Amino acid sequence: MRGAFSGAAAVNAHRKSRLFFNKALARLIFIDETSTNTKLTGWCAKGQRYRTHAPFGKWRTQTFIAGLRCHGLTAPFIVDAPMNRLIFEAWIETQLAPTLSKGDVVVLDNVGFHKSERAAQLIKQRGAWLLFLPAYSPAQDLTAKTCCTNLRCNNKGIERVCRSFLH
């Protein structure tokens, strides 16, 4: 009798925790950006100058920024320039802030322009929270730790790591 009760209680607790996490996950928004540029490099014969044309008539950097929620992208934005504080603040104000609800958590990495007071103010005005990820450190990277440990343990560590990935 007691086992059946504890099983039902466990099922009920599991249902409650799933409901909580479903609501909590929907509130997380991970912000990231990536960029590409059209500066082309190449090789030519020794003593010759490498010549090429600039795509679209000039060299450019394009940046894509968006928020990622558990159900998809939010506030996608492409800008024809490298990311900086002013562009980031404009993106927050015009694209991200209108999609925020009270209780949302905006997760950012530690790029300097993410730490803008204006951006923080715009997000907090919507009732959302800011959460900065810890600074990247190879010492905290699980993959790097695993590989380094394998390499230190054995002089033939590189071969062993390569074999483990290939098989």
Side-chain angles (χ1 to χ4, degrees), residues 31-140:
I31 306 301
D32 206 5
E33 61 282 322
T34 187
S35 65
T36 185
N37 66 43
T38 58
K39 289 186 179 176
L40 301 175
T41 59
W43 297 94
C44 62
K46 187 174 180 180
Q48 300 291 317
R49 183 178 180 142
Y50 176 72
R51 295 186 187 274
T52 188
H53 70 283
F56 310 109
K58 64 178 183 174
W59 304 117
R60 294 185 190 191
T61 297
Q62 290 184 322
T63 303
F64 174 74
I65 184 169
L68 180 64
R69 291 183 180 260
C70 66
H71 56 271
L73 283 180
T74 186
F77 189 64
I78 295 176
V79 63
D80 201 16
M83 185 59 71
N84 60 32
R85 184 182 53 81
L86 294 174
I87 295 171
F88 182 69
E89 289 171 354
W91 175 74
I92 293 283
E93 185 174 8
T94 62
Q95 306 297 313
L96 183 66
T99 69
L100 295 176
S101 301
K102 186 174 182 173
D104 282 347
V105 179
V106 179
V107 183
L108 303 140
D109 55 17
N110 278 301
V111 178
F113 53 79
H114 283 177
K115 296 177 182 176
S116 159
E117 287 296 323
R118 173 133 172 78
Q121 190 178 43
L122 290 165
I123 289 169
K124 289 176 183 176
Q125 282 175 356
R126 301 295 248 174
W129 295 81
L130 281 171
L131 178 65
F132 287 97
L133 294 173
Y136 173 76
S137 167
Q140 296 172 341

